[in-house]
Amino acid sequence: MDMEKLSINRRTFTKGVAATASALILPGYMRQAVAASNSGGKLTVALFKDLRTLNPIMGIFGNEWRCTANLYNNLTRLVPGGGVEGDLAESFESLEGAKVWTFKLREGVKFHEGSELTSADVMATFNKSFDPITSAPYKGELGPIASVEATGKYGVRFMLSSPMADFPKAMAGATARIISEAGIADFDNLNAKAYGTGPFRLVDFVPNERVVMERNPHYFREGLPHLDQVVMRVLPDNTAQQAALQNQEVDAIAEVDAPIFAAVSRINGVTGTQIPGGLFQNVVLLANQAPFDNPKVREAAKFCIERAPLAAALTENTGSPGDDHPISSAYEFHNESPALRQANLSKARRLMREAGYSNGVEIDLVVANNPSSRNRLAVLVQAMTAQAGINFKIEQMDNARYGSTIWNKGKKCYIGNYGTRPYADAILTKLYHSRLGIDEGRWATPDSDAMLDRARETIDPVERRKIYGEFQKLSRNNGPFIISSFQDSLFANWNYVQDFPMSAISTDMRLEQTSLGDGAPGK
Amino acid sequence: MLAKIISRSVTGLFTLLMVSLVIFVSTQFLPGDAAVTLLGDNATEEALSHLREELGLNEPAVTQYLRWVGGIVQGDFGVSQTLGLPIGTILGDRFIASLQLTILTILVAAIVAIPLGVLSAIGQGSTIDRTVLSISYLGISIPDFVFGPLLIVAFALPPLALLPSSGYVPLSDDPLAWLRHMILPVTALTAVLTAHLVRQTRSGMLEVLKSDYVRTARLKGLPERQVLWRHCLRNGLATTLTVLALDLGFVMGSIVVIEEVFAYPGIGRLTVFAIGDRDIPLIQATTLVIAATFVVANILADIAHSMLNPKLE
């Protein structure tokens, strides 16, 4: 292991943790005072790729979510430590055992175009999201909403088809931004227009190039935002990103690519921050097809994986090993036990013999080109599993073809790619539930579905932790995925950038608290 | 000359029509479903079929082609499937940005390569000739996706940090900033092109230098400078012009890589994005615009060639 790299990562990690902690510990009024003295200026943030639309309902890429987080607000928002608080909602409460949720909206909040936020805007937003013609790509992650109704000018009630304890967290999601009624009426133009209440107003948007935003003087949080202007630039090349940061052409990088993290962290005056994340790539072992319909073959494949070295190689030492379930340490309900599975080739070979595959087996494995780490994972897994006779034949293809012919079609094994979700249920239900999710590995049973339903409905956190713990164990031992590593969320910014938002969910990039200190070229 | 211009333009239009047909047919054979790409994998069948109807994907291919070409004739390239914006508005600024990059590259390459090629030819076998040839070998050998990042490391990063590493500023906003942003991408594009052009100019000049009319001019006792300027360069340049026009196609291909490396908002980067996202109307539009640029450049080169060498009329 590269000790020099490790020491830098540790150091920068500690610095990052310290900075985050001080931001949290520092009393609100003090932070306000510090920032007030540093208000104004232009912040330029580098984004890596994919900025196609500013439509919050249709956006599917992290960079789109980073931008809309500053143009719009949600009913709720996530707070450090895994909690949730009101954003546009002043308060919220559950009724009927988390099957009905009511939200009381703040009064006097204005959209950028001048209209006042009311329950009609919230209803218009969710009705549009759930309109089958809209086909909102992430509507499944908004929760099992059966209907939305107004309970007055500033009150909204959500009726769910099944109870959901995490519903307020679902409302903080990137695709649950509140759009004005006027915006919904102008839905076809939402790609390049913003009808939000957010701290910044849209000035200019060039798809896959840049977004320019200016301070919203009527923002409902008094004294915020601190910055006059925010520019988000798409720099799709690592060298260009690194050079732009070093030259102060950009002040921060929102999502540093692992191969350049150590180098940007070494720039004098720049802090690289590493926060344990939950981004992972899963090798999907379809449980409805031979040979992975046999649990012994799935287990054999899992016993071939050298997790720690694979995670180090795949994440360039900026991640942690995974144990074949998607709940990393970044999640509230992460279960520490059982201990990380160690590679055991003799056991893997024995399992293969018992499954009737003594002579080995050949399986197609489809890999999309982007992100490139998927290809590296495929090659590494191929080399490891071949030792037990599981011979993956890798087929590469472009993302568009992969998306429309392979992903979740249940026909060929492939490598998926998932970002960190705000709570465990969001990723577990999506990946494993046969009705509410996609059951990506074609593995769900009535029992596994029932277990997820039970966890989703349970309000008592101790009981929920227990159920999620059981599910993680089940999916680890018997589930249809090899999940060998988790990528941390990586950030880099010049030290004059204060309160740059950093969390495990790196796409939740709200810049309203961010300000520029002394030495900032943008001031 | 007018007849030649008309004839070349008609040929050019016919070529473009053929190109449009090839582009259209090729995009029809791309695997996958555009509606699924656009709406994502969670799309309902109802939404997919609504979108297919809206995009005209259910119509016969011939109808789709005629509608597309008809739209282009009226200046309507359609709507980008992934961006949801009219392609004309997306394409305009990017085409102008790429055209600036291309023209600047061709100009710089011509200014550097032609004198070097001539010098090399005149002094065939000399140290200058050998040096120029060696450097041009180097230029041809280094791919632009390697040379681009090398330039960034050398000139955009400390200790030099002389130039911006990426981006673009419109000429009308700030001419100096525009120039500073152009230098590195133009240099990266020029390197390979110059190497190629030097060798072509050298070959053209060597051929002319060995021709009968040059020998006659020398035997007539004309001073060497006059022989070179009046007889050699004019004919040698005619070949170089044709090569330059052909190289325009090469530059239009290279900008796809260079624009990505330097985050330059041009048509090349747009093409990469369109292909990556299987945005068929955008792929068709960008490819057709690049092809049209190539055809127009060739027509102009043809005309210029004829003007320089009236014997070709």
Side-chain angles (χ1 to χ4, degrees):
Chain A
M1 188 178 287
D2 185 341
M3 289 313 287
E4 191 190 355
K5 200 177 274 185
L6 185 67
S7 70
I8 285 161
N9 288 343
R10 272 189 189 151
R11 199 161 53 234
T12 51
F13 174 72
T14 313
K15 270 196 279 180
V17 169
T20 312
S22 65
L24 294 174
I25 293 162
L26 210 60
Y29 67 89
M30 276 181 70
R31 263 192 286 153
Q32 198 89 350
V34 169
S37 66
N38 293 319
S39 67
K42 179 175 96 172
L43 176 82
T44 306
V45 181
L47 308 175
F48 195 54
K49 269 185 181 174
D50 294 318
L51 180 56
R52 305 190 316 195
T53 178
L54 295 179
N55 184 334
I57 292 178
M58 302 306 286
I60 57 172
F61 293 109
N63 286 335
E64 294 161 358
W65 300 344
R66 288 182 178 97
C67 292
T68 59
N70 294 288
L71 296 166
Y72 293 86
N73 290 94
N74 292 47
L75 288 176
T76 58
R77 61 181 187 175
L78 302 170
V79 292
V84 63
E85 65 177 17
D87 191 8
L88 287 175
E90 207 167 64
S91 60
F92 51 89
E93 62 175 342
S94 69
L95 304 164
E96 298 177 28
K99 201 173 175 189
V100 175
W101 284 87
T102 60
F103 292 80
K104 185 176 182 309
L105 303 178
R106 289 173 194 269
E107 294 182 25
V109 176
K110 298 272 191 207
F111 284 100
H112 296 166
E113 78 271 15
S115 63
E116 192 198 358
L117 167 79
T118 67
S119 50
D121 300 300
V122 179
M123 284 172 58
T125 300
F126 286 97
N127 286 335
K128 189 69 183 175
S129 290
F130 281 90
D131 183 342
I133 294 300
T134 309
S135 194
Y138 276 78
K139 71 178 174 189
E141 295 191 23
L142 296 175
I145 298 172
S147 62
V148 193
E149 62 184 41
T151 57
K153 193 176 177 185
Y154 301 109
V156 194
R157 182 188 295 137
F158 289 85
M159 267 72 71
L160 309 186
S161 55
S162 58
M164 183 177 177
D166 278 326
F167 188 66
K169 286 185 182 172
M171 289 295 95
T175 52
R177 315 259 190 246
I178 303 302
I179 305 163
S180 72
E181 268 191 297
I184 295 296
D186 192 21
F187 194 75
D188 287 345
N189 292 315
L190 271 188
N191 282 336
K193 280 187 177 179
Y195 290 87
T197 53
F200 296 96
R201 297 189 299 205
L202 182 65
V203 175
D204 186 27
F205 170 54
V206 182
N208 278 346
E209 295 292 340
R210 65 176 181 274
V211 173
V212 181
M213 296 178 257
E214 64 178 7
R215 185 173 180 272
N216 172 11
H218 307 295
Y219 190 50
F220 64 90
R221 288 195 173 89
E222 215 169 301
L224 297 178
H226 298 304
L227 297 163
D228 289 332
Q229 201 181 48
V230 172
V231 178
M232 303 213 190
R233 281 183 62 193
V234 178
L235 294 172
D237 180 82
N238 272 342
T239 315
Q241 264 203 4
Q242 191 181 333
L245 184 71
Q246 195 155 0
N247 282 355
Q248 296 187 335
E249 290 166 41
V250 300
D251 305 298
I253 302 177
E255 186 183 26
V256 184
D257 202 16
I260 60 165
F261 182 67
V264 296
S265 302
R266 275 196 292 263
I267 299 172
N268 193 18
V270 168
T271 300
T273 307
Q274 187 175 347
I275 293 178
L279 191 148
F280 66 89
Q281 283 149 3
N282 55 336
V283 183
V284 180
L285 313 172
L286 288 170
N288 62 343
Q289 285 180 22
F292 295 118
D293 55 346
N294 188 329
K296 288 188 176 176
V297 183
R298 296 200 296 271
E299 204 179 357
K302 292 172 183 178
F303 269 115
C304 293
I305 307 298
E306 296 269 5
R307 285 157 204 280
L310 194 150
L314 204 63
T315 67
E316 311 256 348
N317 293 319
T318 60
S320 55
D323 206 8
D324 302 325
H325 64 75
I327 306 304
S328 73
S329 62
Y331 287 94
E332 186 187 353
F333 294 117
H334 169 71
N335 191 9
E336 288 292 343
S337 66
L340 188 72
R341 189 199 300 269
Q342 299 300 315
N344 187 336
L345 279 179
S346 55
K347 190 165 183 181
R349 288 179 189 128
R350 180 167 56 75
L351 284 163
M352 286 296 283
R353 277 198 302 276
E354 286 172 14
Y357 292 102
S358 308
N359 297 325
V361 61
E362 197 164 278
I363 307 132
D364 289 334
L365 181 67
V366 182
V367 189
N369 292 333
N370 189 27
S372 59
S373 50
R374 282 207 261 211
N375 284 309
R376 298 208 302 274
L377 174 63
V379 172
L380 291 166
V381 167
Q382 182 190 44
M384 290 175 181
T385 55
Q387 298 175 89
I390 301 171
N391 300 303
F392 282 114
K393 208 172 107 201
I394 298 171
E395 183 190 351
Q396 290 188 344
M397 62 174 65
D398 66 89
N399 282 56
R401 188 176 163 204
Y402 160 84
S404 57
T405 61
I406 299 294
W407 184 81
N408 194 34
K409 300 293 177 285
K411 289 175 187 162
K412 279 187 177 180
C413 294
Y414 60 89
I415 295 186
N417 185 54
Y418 292 91
T420 316
R421 300 305 202 264
Y423 50 99
D425 177 69
I427 190 69
L428 290 176
T429 297
K430 182 174 181 97
L431 290 186
Y432 294 99
H433 205 292
S434 63
R435 283 175 293 104
L436 302 173
I438 59 175
D439 183 18
E440 190 175 26
R442 305 299 188 265
W443 167 82
T445 61
D447 283 350
S448 65
D449 278 357
M451 198 186 284
L452 285 176
D453 288 339
R454 213 165 64 246
R456 178 181 262 236
E457 293 165 11
T458 304
I459 295 173
D460 176 20
V462 177
E463 180 61 19
R464 288 182 84 197
R465 179 174 292 282
K466 201 175 136 196
I467 304 171
Y468 280 130
E470 281 171 26
F471 192 87
Q472 285 166 59
K473 204 169 158 185
L474 175 70
S475 51
R476 170 196 187 268
N477 294 338
N478 186 265
F481 307 130
I482 295 175
I483 298 176
S484 52
S485 64
F486 293 103
Q487 172 66 56
D488 291 343
S489 297
L490 307 174
F491 309 86
N493 62 277
W494 280 91
N495 293 340
Y496 54 73
V497 180
Q498 297 171 355
D499 288 331
F500 189 70
M502 289 178 268
S503 69
I505 303 158
S506 68
T507 52
D508 192 30
M509 194 179 78
R510 286 174 275 130
L511 294 163
E512 62 181 34
Q513 294 278 1
T514 306
S515 61
L516 296 174
D518 294 337
K523 285 206 76 169
Chain B
M1 182 54 75
L2 185 68
K4 186 175 178 80
I5 294 174
I6 293 171
S7 141
R8 284 285 183 274
S9 303
V10 170
T11 313
L13 277 176
F14 181 73
T15 311
L16 275 180
L17 197 67
M18 289 298 104
V19 169
S20 74
L21 197 63
V22 171
I23 292 170
F24 185 82
V25 172
S26 312
T27 48
Q28 291 299 303
F29 284 108
L30 281 176
D33 181 338
V36 176
T37 304
L38 197 56
L39 289 180
D41 302 285
N42 295 337
T44 60
E45 199 42 56
E46 187 188 0
L48 288 172
S49 108
H50 181 260
L51 184 66
R52 286 189 196 111
E53 191 69 38
E54 201 177 290
L55 297 175
L57 299 176
N58 296 331
E59 290 174 10
V62 176
T63 314
Q64 289 184 47
Y65 174 70
L66 291 176
R67 191 158 36 81
W68 178 56
V69 172
I72 292 169
V73 171
Q74 296 168 55
D76 176 12
F77 284 94
V79 175
S80 158
Q81 287 173 353
T82 46
L83 304 175
L85 299 169
I87 290 174
T89 59
I90 308 167
L91 212 55
D93 288 347
R94 296 184 190 239
F95 177 64
I96 290 168
S98 287
L99 205 59
Q100 292 171 8
L101 198 59
T102 308
I103 290 172
L104 220 56
T105 302
I106 295 281
L107 277 177
V108 174
I111 290 168
V112 176
I114 294 173
L116 282 177
V118 171
L119 272 178
S120 191
I122 294 168
Q124 191 188 6
S126 67
T127 313
I128 293 178
D129 184 33
R130 283 200 298 273
T131 311
V132 168
L133 281 180
S134 306
I135 293 173
S136 68
Y137 268 126
L138 199 69
I140 288 173
S141 313
I142 303 177
D144 40 16
F145 60 85
V146 173
F147 197 52
L150 281 178
L151 284 174
I152 291 177
V153 171
F155 297 104
L157 291 180
L160 291 180
L162 294 171
L163 295 161
S165 61
S166 59
Y168 167 77
V169 174
L171 180 61
S172 52
D173 284 9
D174 184 345
L176 188 65
W178 171 81
L179 188 64
R180 281 170 49 76
H181 281 86
M182 298 300 275
I183 291 174
L184 289 185
V186 166
T187 309
L189 280 170
T190 307
V192 184
L193 186 62
T194 303
H196 183 226
L197 212 55
V198 162
R199 301 174 70 79
Q200 292 292 337
T201 310
R202 182 180 178 276
S203 307
M205 280 297 288
L206 280 176
E207 205 174 308
V208 172
L209 283 168
K210 285 172 191 162
S211 64
D212 290 345
Y213 62 85
V214 171
R215 199 167 58 238
T216 310
R218 279 176 175 150
L219 287 172
K220 268 166 65 185
L222 283 177
E224 188 63 18
R225 180 175 293 185
Q226 208 173 333
V227 172
L228 285 176
W229 279 101
R230 188 176 291 175
H231 298 284
C232 298
L233 264 184
R234 195 183 170 108
N235 291 304
L237 271 185
T239 320
T240 307
L241 258 180
T242 314
V243 174
L244 258 180
L246 291 172
D247 278 345
L248 192 85
F250 164 79
V251 176
M252 290 305 268
S254 291
I255 57 171
V256 173
V257 176
I258 290 300
E259 287 183 356
E260 196 73 355
V261 170
F262 290 97
Y264 187 91
I267 202 166
R269 211 171 154 199
L270 190 65
T271 309
V272 172
F273 161 71
I275 293 169
D277 274 27
R278 201 178 179 278
D279 189 334
I280 289 174
L282 202 54
I283 296 173
Q284 290 169 338
T286 50
T287 319
L288 192 65
V289 167
I290 291 174
T293 312
F294 190 57
V295 168
V296 169
N298 271 282
I299 293 172
L300 291 176
D302 254 8
I303 293 165
H305 201 162
S306 303
M307 287 168 80
L308 282 168
N309 191 353
K311 277 191 292 182
L312 290 174
E313 278 296 299

